Amino acid sequence: MQESVMKAWWDSSHMAGANAAYVEQLYEAYLEDPQSVSDSWRQVFDSLPKVDGVELESNHSTIREQFKKLAALGPAARMSSTPASNSAAVSDERQVKVLQLINAYRFRGHQHANLDPLGLWKQPRVRDLELSHHNLSEDDFDSIFNVGSYAIGKDTMSLGELFKSLNRTYCGSIGAEYMHITDTEQKRWLQQRIESVQSKPEVAKEEKLALLKGLTAADGMEKYLGAKFTGAKRFSLEGGDALIPMLKGLITEAGVVGTKEVVIGMAHRGRLNVLVNVLGKNPSVLFDEFSGKHDNTLGSGDVKYHAGFSSDFATPGGNVHLALAFNPSHLEIVNPVVMGSVRARMDRRSNDSHKVLPITLHGDSAIAGQGVVQETFNMSQTRGFAVGGTVRIVINNQVGFTTSKLEDTRSTQYCTDIAKMVQAPIFHVNSDDPEAVQFVTKLALDYRNKFKRDVVIDLVCYRRHGHNEADEPNATQPLMYQKIQKHPVPRQLYADQLIAEGVIKEQDAQKLIDDYRAALDHGACVVDEWRPMTEHSVDWTPYIGHDWDAPYDGKVSVDKLKELGERITSYPEGVKLQSRVNKLYQDRKAMMTGEKKLDWGMAETLAYATIVDIGNDIRMTGQDSGRGTFFHRHAVLHNQTDGSTFIPLQHVREGQGDIEIYDSVLSEEAVMAFEYGFATAEPSCLTIWEAQFGDFANGAQVVFDQFLSSGEAKWGRLCGLTVLLPHGYEGQGPEHSSARLERFLQLCADHNWQVCVPSTPAQVFNMLRRQVIRPMRKPLIVMSPKSLLRHPLATSTLEELAEGVFHNVIGEIDDLNPSEVKRVVMCSGKVYYDLLDQRRKNEQTDVAIIRLEQLYPFPQEECAKIVANYSHVKDWVWCQEEPQNQGAWYSSQHHFWQAIPEGAHLTYAGREASASPAVGYVSVHNQQQKALVEDALTIK
Ligand code: AMP
């Protein structure tokens, strides 16, 4: 230590006696952020030893002790002494080395842990974990050292004892990674939990028996299916059998601490096993499915290893509702769906994250490979998407289909490294040690509940068969499978352990096998804790079985609208609005007094006000939803004085429905999936996801394809999610013009969802209200406008809003004489105003314009009524802004043909087919737009 540094240290009166704690605090602060302490203190701490350049936490009492000793020596003595010549200093040095050793194990012990049941992992040699690296040796084993913050319950230990303890704690069946967490409280809490029991707490006999029973069930189920349905795909859990007792333990512990609902997301691996052995699905139903029988109530259905399931599960703390989410083959996408579902359930339970627990199961290749995982981690602590932490379990069978070479699957040491982005603790655990699995599972749950953060358990196991049972894994993983073939199943290993411990006898273990098999033969539920459902928090029956065109009462009085208009244009005096926003709010006030007609933003906001007024909730997320991408919504006001926010819609009336509006993280895929999960768990809420620009929704294509359009058909799950997709050709280029309407239309069948293109403020008002007031719950895809938000013709009156009807088709609005009409142009969206404007300029009376405001389900009856006025017209045109291969022309043409009078012909007016959605040059855009309007209006 340099003289000046020593002097700084000595000069500080805080060094003595009781104030030693101060040093500790300073050191703590230094570890968190070296810049947070003064230069002189930084130099003192900098001079402490480091390991591999990593700043280590020398434990507090040692620091204190060290400084006390130095203090006792006095400044002159201390300054004149050199470490080599002073025995006290030498022992200080050894003490510090011991503390470094402890920290080395905390940081890197997991790299020497016994994690792989197959013993195939090549572990790097970690020198930090060797005594010699710290200038220590077995000769020091008898020396007594202070162990600082090592939470073993004593202050001192011999080095021999400590070394053994560290190896047991950090290098056994558990590899704990948590030193990347910067929050000291979390770190200390984890150390306390892990070190106090040296990662191996006492396990009671009943617990051991429960673990063996779980393993027996896991193994028994797969063997039974394998024998009965040889070669059929079941995506066996074998190798990862510990998952069954693990999940049951997790649910039981959650129930004990007050959890009421658990939502689980998992891919196909082990799913049938979980369904039968955890959720209590009746095995006879599963066997029927293997034999080809199916439940007719579930539409077109899905393969059995995608099926969801719901049940209740008895725990000492009361029953817990379990919901296993339905999911497609697309790995990891179910996780944000689960989180959305959990958020909805939490909202119903006073936002209490203790009451609802998300558990997501991941594959080792998928968690590292799929970007949606990163998105969910990023969302995990945000206002709009937090669910109080997710317990994430990786079924790490060390192979993804046929890919297992590390250099092919990922670029990180562990498959779980992505979790470090949110500083989640990660517990790697050898799945052949079910007691270790049980320990980390409880630890993970407690961590999640205490800190409301994500936590990861990496269940290191193997896959006994190929990717599915028809696969031959030796073709691609010969060495691994030679090992697996010789490796006893987890049940056998644990049964042997319990027999050796004298906990059970051989015949007891055999009896468990026989009893389980007999239960399967009997076909009844094999989960003792299974209970019929009573704990789920919402009843969907009122929403089932409704047609989209069933009548509903959407009327609202003008007086009511004025009253609500007043509320949503008011804000506290202290809120100073930005000048453009202020003008917009003044305009809105004028709209309420009738001085101005309503624009889009006001009508939309009024719709929300009426919805919360009748007590329904609203949840809206999107990349700029508070303000609106195009500066039209301003549902969230930003006080120019202090940056605080105010949401007038939250102040409509006492006892109103809740409204939450969040600017989302910059993701489409996970956010859309989250909102799908939310909407499938909460039917009474108007749930809206808004894309910044419509085509960005293609970042969430898997959610549209695999969930939103087909979830009801495959799984019978209703979903009333509303998706606002800004769409319209305004010369903004390929990426900001089209919401790819054609994609949504192409997916239309079985009345699976609604595709609407509202063209007036009254229409958006009534469309949004219809979505909530009608009991039908189907997704609503909206091509929402951009320039129409401020178009002088796109305005409505309060009376038009009050009418309470969404017009699926709007007929001619100008006073044309139908008998003079020679051509009828049908269109949707913004191009209508271009057509209207040009026709008025042309003073034409021979072309009528019909607007289709709902393209699917196609409003045949309403269309027929309007078309009847023009039954004499033979010349019908579909006009669109989109290129011919896009928009509605190819996808909806069959509906248009059906709508027009018999014998009439239908032609196309629009852009030519194009690979790109739109041109990049405004001048070309304008030319094209002019031409297509002219084409539509010119009778040849
Ligand atoms: P869960 O709370 O998700 O386990 O659901 C409990 C029960 O409610 C399910 O078994 C279904 O009968 C019903 N249910 C849940 N979600 C939906 C949905 N989105 N559509 C229709 N029924 C649902």
Side-chain angles (χ1 to χ4, degrees):
M1 216 180 273
Q2 287 171 5
E3 256 185 49
S4 58
V5 176
M6 269 313 290
K7 187 160 184 331
W9 163 80
W10 182 252
D11 285 349
S12 168
S13 60
H14 300 294
M15 289 308 305
N19 278 339
Y22 172 75
V23 181
E24 217 183 331
Q25 276 176 17
L26 271 182
Y27 187 60
E28 197 78 76
Y30 163 84
L31 287 172
E32 294 289 328
D33 174 11
Q35 299 308 319
S36 65
V37 299
S38 68
D39 286 354
S40 52
W41 275 111
R42 194 162 51 250
Q43 285 178 57
V44 172
F45 295 139
D46 279 348
S47 70
L48 290 173
K50 299 180 176 75
V51 171
D52 274 1
V54 181
E55 208 74 55
L56 292 178
E57 275 186 78
S58 294
N59 71 76
H60 302 164
S61 49
T62 309
I63 296 288
R64 204 161 51 212
E65 285 307 310
Q66 192 177 10
F67 287 140
K68 263 194 210 155
K69 277 181 197 159
L70 290 166
L73 287 171
R78 187 65 188 91
M79 277 182 237
S80 63
S81 69
T82 63
S85 66
N86 183 293
S87 66
V90 170
S91 96
D92 283 346
E93 199 179 300
R94 275 206 311 165
Q95 174 65 68
V96 170
K97 296 289 182 194
V98 166
L99 297 173
Q100 279 193 342
L101 182 73
I102 292 171
N103 272 302
Y105 271 82
R106 285 170 167 173
F107 269 107
R108 302 191 62 183
H110 55 86
Q111 289 183 287
H112 276 189
N114 169 30
L115 300 177
D116 177 10
L118 300 177
L120 292 173
W121 278 14
K122 289 190 187 68
Q123 285 176 316
R125 179 175 171 192
V126 183
R127 291 189 188 278
D128 305 21
L129 304 179
E130 293 170 10
L131 293 170
S132 56
H133 183 78
H134 303 277
N135 292 337
L136 297 166
S137 74
E138 291 187 7
D139 294 345
D140 300 313
F141 269 10
D142 292 336
S143 304
I144 304 295
F145 290 94
N146 192 308
V147 295
S149 66
Y150 187 56
I152 191 79
K154 43 188 164 186
D155 290 339
T156 57
M157 281 171 106
S158 70
L159 181 62
E161 192 191 5
L162 174 65
F163 193 56
K164 201 166 146 206
S165 171
L166 286 171
N167 276 292
R168 180 183 157 111
T169 305
Y170 286 108
C171 303
S173 299
I174 295 167
E177 273 193 285
Y178 64 89
M179 290 299 277
H180 52 278
I181 299 174
T182 49
D183 180 71
T184 307
E185 188 197 348
Q186 290 180 41
K187 235 176 345 198
R188 292 275 175 264
W189 185 89
L190 286 164
Q191 280 163 0
Q192 177 61 37
R193 288 288 297 262
I194 294 167
E195 293 168 354
S196 62
V197 293
Q198 298 180 90
S199 298
K200 220 173 173 8
E202 285 296 313
V203 180
K205 182 177 175 187
E206 313 79 69
E207 290 178 274
K208 287 178 186 264
L209 291 177
L211 289 172
L212 182 61
K213 207 172 160 198
L215 292 175
T216 306
D219 188 53
M221 176 77 204
E222 297 297 350
K223 293 225 161 77
Y224 196 91
L225 289 178
K228 207 166 166 157
F229 306 101
T230 312
K233 278 190 196 178
R234 63 190 149 93
F235 298 102
S236 152
L237 179 64
E238 285 160 283
D241 308 42
L243 181 72
I244 297 300
M246 176 187 200
L247 280 178
K248 289 185 77 170
L250 180 54
I251 295 160
T252 304
E253 290 295 337
V256 168
V257 296
T259 299
K260 288 285 152 212
E261 296 185 68
V262 172
V263 188
I264 307 170
M266 72 181 294
H268 43 266
R269 171 83 41 225
R271 194 175 173 99
L272 301 181
N273 212 314
V274 169
L275 276 166
V276 169
N277 283 323
V278 178
L279 284 110
K281 178 168 175 159
N282 200 311
S284 60
V285 175
L286 180 69
F287 302 154
D288 280 353
E289 288 167 3
F290 269 100
S291 314
K293 295 188 193 147
H294 61 273
D295 179 354
N296 286 325
T297 59
L298 290 181
S300 57
D302 200 348
V303 290
K304 48 196 167 298
Y305 36 84
H306 289 167
F309 197 76
S310 304
S311 61
D312 284 4
F313 188 101
T315 79
N319 288 0
V320 175
H321 178 68
L322 306 182
L324 176 67
F326 292 84
N327 72 286
S329 286
H330 293 57
L331 298 172
E332 303 293 335
I333 189 65
V334 75
N335 301 317
V337 175
V338 164
M339 290 160 200
S341 173
V342 166
R343 176 82 178 217
R345 291 165 204 258
M346 262 169 63
D347 281 0
R348 283 199 293 272
R349 295 181 182 274
S350 315
N351 202 21
D352 184 349
S353 61
H354 262 74
K355 294 266 163 61
V356 193
L357 172 71
I359 304 175
T360 57
L361 281 89
H362 309 253
D364 49 319
S365 296
I367 194 170
Q370 302 278 304
V372 71
V373 175
Q374 177 273 334
E375 293 188 16
T376 56
F377 275 119
N378 186 43
M379 288 156 74
S380 66
Q381 290 294 307
T382 59
R383 270 195 315 144
F385 304 96
V387 290
T390 298
V391 175
R392 298 169 179 260
I393 300 169
V394 184
I395 304 181
N396 182 352
N397 55 31
Q398 312 184 48
V399 55
F401 208 149
T402 64
T403 308
S404 60
K405 284 199 167 56
L406 198 58
E407 56 269 38
D408 293 336
T409 50
R410 60 180 186 263
S411 300
T412 52
Q413 183 186 1
Y414 295 113
C415 61
T416 50
D417 282 2
I418 184 72
K420 289 184 185 164
M421 70 175 271
V422 291
Q423 301 192 3
I426 301 160
F427 305 115
H428 310 279
V429 59
N430 185 324
S431 75
D432 268 358
D433 184 346
E435 293 177 13
V437 175
Q438 175 173 269
F439 171 63
V440 291
T441 304
K442 173 138 179 42
L443 180 59
L445 175 71
D446 291 348
Y447 173 87
R448 180 264 177 188
N449 282 339
K450 182 163 175 61
F451 296 105
K452 299 191 186 343
R453 300 185 72 91
D454 283 18
V455 53
V456 180
I457 303 170
D458 178 17
L459 185 67
V460 186
C461 54
Y462 57 91
R463 188 186 74 189
R464 185 158 288 279
H465 307 288
H467 177 68
N468 62 57
E469 289 60 34
D471 235 24
E472 176 44 86
N474 281 298
T476 47
Q477 273 71 30
L479 300 185
M480 181 188 265
Y481 277 81
Q482 282 161 26
K483 199 101 197 211
I484 289 173
Q485 272 143 24
K486 291 190 206 116
H487 193 76
V489 300
R491 187 212 63 80
Q492 183 70 58
L493 286 173
Y494 194 54
D496 290 349
Q497 180 188 324
L498 296 196
I499 293 165
E501 286 174 8
V503 176
I504 55 163
K505 299 200 170 57
E506 180 111 38
Q507 56 270 36
D508 300 329
Q510 186 57 44
K511 185 167 181 320
L512 286 179
I513 299 174
D514 297 342
D515 287 352
Y516 184 78
R517 203 185 160 85
L520 286 185
D521 279 338
H522 190 235
C525 171
V526 292
V527 178
D528 297 340
E529 299 87 348
W530 179 87
R531 296 290 179 277
M533 276 196 289
T534 55
E535 293 293 334
H536 60 296
S537 46
V538 71
D539 179 11
W540 279 84
T541 44
Y543 302 96
I544 294 172
H546 301 283
D547 289 332
W548 75 272
D549 50 359
Y552 66 97
D553 182 9
K555 282 200 191 61
V556 52
S557 73
V558 169
D559 284 347
K560 185 73 182 174
L561 289 177
K562 286 186 171 166
E563 176 197 324
L564 295 173
E566 158 66 20
R567 292 287 163 80
I568 58 169
T569 52
S570 305
Y571 45 87
E573 246 173 41
V575 176
K576 183 173 181 312
L577 300 188
Q578 189 271 341
S579 58
R580 280 178 67 196
V581 181
N582 186 40
K583 160 93 174 61
L584 193 131
Y585 264 63
Q586 295 313 316
D587 285 349
R588 286 185 179 180
K589 281 184 195 291
M591 290 171 200
M592 285 301 99
T593 57
E595 286 166 62
K596 284 186 167 221
K597 284 176 98 180
L598 280 88
D599 67 5
W600 202 280
M602 185 56 183
E604 186 194 323
T605 313
L606 258 183
Y608 301 141
T610 63
I611 290 166
V612 292
D613 186 52
I614 56 174
N616 289 76
D617 295 345
I618 298 176
R619 173 183 165 88
M620 176 183 249
T621 65
Q623 283 148 2
D624 309 282
S625 289
R627 187 199 82 170
T629 306
F630 311 101
F631 213 79
H632 86 289
R633 185 169 295 124
H634 298 284
V636 180
L637 296 176
H638 295 261
N639 190 343
Q640 301 296 297
T641 327
D642 59 6
S644 61
T645 54
F646 181 80
I647 302 179
L649 281 163
Q650 288 176 341
H651 303 272
V652 166
R653 72 166 172 84
E654 196 78 2
Q656 65 171 84
D658 286 338
I659 176 159
E660 295 181 17
I661 302 179
Y662 298 107
D663 292 342
S664 76
V665 299
L666 201 66
S667 134
E668 288 85 25
E669 185 178 1
V671 170
M672 252 294 289
F674 188 100
E675 300 308 340
Y676 169 82
F678 190 98
T680 46
E682 181 47 78
S684 69
C685 175
L686 175 66
T687 311
I688 301 175
W689 179 71
E690 181 177 55
Q692 190 178 58
F693 285 92
D695 54 338
F696 293 166
N698 57 21
Q701 198 61 49
V702 61
V703 189
F704 288 105
D705 290 350
Q706 263 69 25
F707 291 93
L708 208 58
S709 64
S710 56
E712 186 184 347
K714 292 190 290 191
W715 311 318
R717 282 295 188 266
L718 305 174
C719 174
L721 181 64
T722 296
V723 181
L724 302 181
L725 304 174
H727 173 82
Y729 281 62
E730 278 133 14
Q732 299 292 306
E735 264 64 76
H736 290 149
S737 297
S738 175
R740 311 309 304 243
L741 173 63
E742 61 281 1
R743 299 257 174 88
F744 298 97
L745 292 174
Q746 192 213 6
L747 293 173
C748 292
D750 303 327
H751 288 188
N752 57 338
W753 59 14
Q754 311 149 89
V755 180
C756 291
V757 196
S759 65
T760 71
Q763 282 287 86
V764 76
F765 175 86
N766 284 306
M767 178 192 71
L768 291 168
R769 282 173 52 76
R770 180 178 81 161
Q771 183 69 352
V772 183
I773 294 170
R774 263 184 328 187
M776 184 193 84
R777 290 296 174 264
K778 299 262 185 196
L780 169 61
I781 306 293
V782 185
M783 297 292 115
S784 60
K786 296 175 292 176
S787 64
L788 286 198
L789 299 172
R790 276 175 275 281
H791 196 290
L793 291 177
T795 55
S796 301
T797 61
L798 278 171
E799 287 70 22
E800 285 167 329
L801 268 63
E803 190 195 353
V805 179
F806 175 72
H807 299 282
N808 298 299
V809 193
I810 303 179
E812 177 55 56
I813 61 156
D814 280 355
D815 198 14
L816 303 186
N817 180 349
S819 63
E820 281 179 28
V821 170
K822 299 200 181 73
R823 168 179 273 196
V824 180
V825 178
M826 295 189 291
C827 65
S828 277
K830 191 206 107 218
V831 73
Y832 164 74
Y833 291 99
D834 294 348
L835 290 165
L836 181 68
D837 189 44
Q838 191 57 46
R839 191 190 65 186
R840 285 179 179 171
K841 280 188 190 142
N842 296 350
E843 297 183 358
Q844 269 181 278
T845 55
D846 52 358
V847 176
I849 309 172
I850 296 177
R851 272 174 282 176
L852 288 171
E853 304 273 299
Q854 176 168 299
L855 286 164
Y856 191 82
F858 194 79
Q860 208 70 49
E861 276 179 31
E862 279 164 85
C863 223
K865 281 189 199 139
I866 293 168
V867 166
N869 296 322
Y870 311 104
S871 55
H872 61 286
V873 178
K874 297 282 178 239
D875 182 6
W876 290 69
V877 172
W878 171 254
C879 178
Q880 67 178 34
E881 299 181 301
E882 301 87 351
Q884 192 167 11
N885 55 323
Q886 298 165 31
W889 178 239
Y890 285 157
S891 313
S892 296
Q893 206 181 115
H894 55 297
H895 292 305
F896 307 153
W897 276 105
Q898 251 189 319
I900 64 176
E902 234 182 286
H905 57 90
L906 178 69
T907 51
Y908 168 80
R911 287 181 166 80
E912 281 179 16
S914 157
S916 166
V919 292
Y921 312 105
V922 184
S923 56
V924 181
H925 160 81
N926 289 338
Q927 247 171 15
Q928 288 179 340
Q929 193 77 5
K930 193 161 173 276
L932 72 89
V933 169
E934 232 169 67
D935 192 21
L937 296 176
T938 309
I939 301 172
K940 278 130 197 162

